[in-house]
Amino acid sequence: MQPQEEKQLESSVDAIISRVADLKNSLAAFILKLENEFDRMNWPSVLDNFALVSGQLNTLNKLLRNDKTPILRNQVIIPLLLSPDRDDELMKLTEGRVPVFSHEVVPDHLRTKPDPEVEEQEKQLSAEAARLAPDVAQKYVQSMNKMCSNLLDKLNNTREERESESGALRQNKQTFNPADTNALVAAIGFGKGLSKLIRQPQGGPVPSGQSVPGGLQGGPSLSQVTIQGGPSQQGLPGQVPSQQGQPGKMPSTIKTNIKSASMHPYQR
């Protein structure tokens, strides 16, 4: 290998190691949040973490597909030294995952083929695929593509319907209660539902020669309520005397002046 190729390989490996380290840190932080902060996480934060990991994977793939990056599959790694002793430098490079580089760990870390069980399953699948006729295999492929297309259509339609429904709800969302509005208008305009705070007092007997408007007996048409300061203010004309002599009743300090709307000022 030429010196220029060696430098290019070293720089490419360093860049790949840096990108992989960033990806590993992002995955570790996301897993830590899922384990310890799952009760406080929401869906947007999960999507943000997925987007970060996806972006880092795309960056790593672009780096591997770059023209300046040498083809790593053409490079051969050969262990030059195997030792059962603990290697501190190896511990630092592998972050404590590989303490020794011995005959037990080398086949696992430098393996270029899959595990024997996985390799056996792959051979069985390849043999079953080889036994199929081309026409039958093409039918299976078309059926699988059709199922995938139908599933994608359903997912896209569901997403569009959900987005349209959410948009319609946002546009047609009411900010008031019609029943409360109608009750408020009826109370202001017609007094519906309001309790009578001031009641008209019941008047005494109507003098002879005076008519009661409306044909209602026992109550005047116009009334004036005067609150007196004490029991000494008595004897005013037209006042109804307070019922102080009746037992069992509290003396009232409210005196009522009753005037009839139909009374002529010169009528006696």
Side-chain angles (χ1 to χ4, degrees):
M1 183 180 293
Q2 299 296 327
Q4 184 177 0
E5 294 179 355
E6 291 182 359
K7 291 182 180 179
Q8 187 176 2
L9 179 61
E10 290 179 0
S11 61
S12 300
V13 171
D14 292 339
I16 292 172
I17 291 174
S18 176
R19 298 293 185 274
V20 172
D22 295 339
L23 179 60
K24 183 181 71 66
N25 293 332
S26 300
L27 289 173
F30 185 36
I31 293 173
L32 184 62
K33 289 181 180 179
L34 290 177
E35 292 178 351
N36 299 326
E37 301 178 4
F38 62 91
D39 54 343
R40 297 190 299 272
M41 291 189 66
N42 50 15
W43 185 240
S45 62
V46 175
L47 292 179
D48 293 340
N49 285 276
F50 273 119
L52 178 61
V53 173
S54 178
Q56 291 176 346
L57 285 174
N58 291 331
T59 303
L60 182 60
N61 289 330
K62 290 180 181 179
L63 180 61
L64 294 175
R65 296 172 183 174
N66 194 2
D67 297 335
K68 296 182 180 181
T69 302
I71 301 176
L72 299 178
R73 68 170 62 94
N74 296 334
Q75 307 296 326
V76 180
I77 299 176
I78 300 175
L80 300 179
L81 178 63
L82 299 177
S83 175
D85 299 332
R86 181 185 178 90
D87 191 348
D88 296 335
E89 186 67 23
L90 183 63
M91 285 278 293
K92 182 179 179 181
L93 291 175
T94 59
E95 297 182 355
R97 292 188 298 270
V98 183
V100 295
F101 199 65
S102 61
H103 296 79
E104 297 179 358
V105 300
V106 165
D108 295 332
H109 293 283
L110 300 182
R111 183 189 300 274
T112 57
K113 296 176 65 177
D115 293 338
E117 295 82 2
V118 177
E119 189 175 2
E120 186 65 25
Q121 293 179 1
E122 186 178 357
K123 288 181 179 180
Q124 291 178 2
L125 294 176
S126 300
E128 291 178 1
R131 287 196 298 267
L132 292 176
D135 298 338
V136 177
Q138 188 65 25
K139 289 181 180 180
Y140 287 160
V141 171
Q142 292 177 358
S143 177
M144 187 66 180
N145 291 334
K146 185 177 180 180
M147 291 175 60
C148 293
S149 299
N150 293 335
L151 182 59
L152 289 175
D153 291 340
K154 289 182 179 180
L155 293 176
N156 293 330
N157 293 334
T158 304
R159 182 179 62 183
E160 292 176 358
E161 291 177 358
R162 184 176 66 251
E163 291 177 355
S164 61
E165 290 178 359
S166 61
L169 289 176
R170 286 194 298 268
Q171 292 178 0
N172 301 329
K173 185 178 180 180
Q174 293 183 352
T175 58
F176 64 94
N177 191 349
D180 294 342
T181 303
N182 295 333
L184 182 60
V185 171
I188 295 175
F190 307 102
K192 183 179 180 181
L194 298 179
S195 61
K196 296 181 179 180
L197 300 179
I198 301 177
R199 300 181 181 274
Q200 294 182 355
Q202 296 181 357
V206 180
S208 60
Q210 295 183 3
S211 61
V212 178
L216 297 177
Q217 298 294 333
S221 60
L222 293 177
S223 61
Q224 180 179 2
V225 180
T226 305
I227 301 176
Q228 302 295 336
S232 61
Q233 297 180 1
Q234 297 179 358
L236 295 179
Q239 288 186 352
V240 179
S242 59
Q243 300 176 359
Q244 298 180 359
Q246 297 182 3
K249 293 186 178 180
M250 294 296 293
S252 175
T253 59
I254 300 177
K255 306 300 180 180
T256 306
N257 294 335
I258 302 174
K259 294 182 180 180
S260 176
S262 61
M263 180 185 297
H264 195 276
Y266 296 101
Q267 185 178 0
R268 294 185 182 276

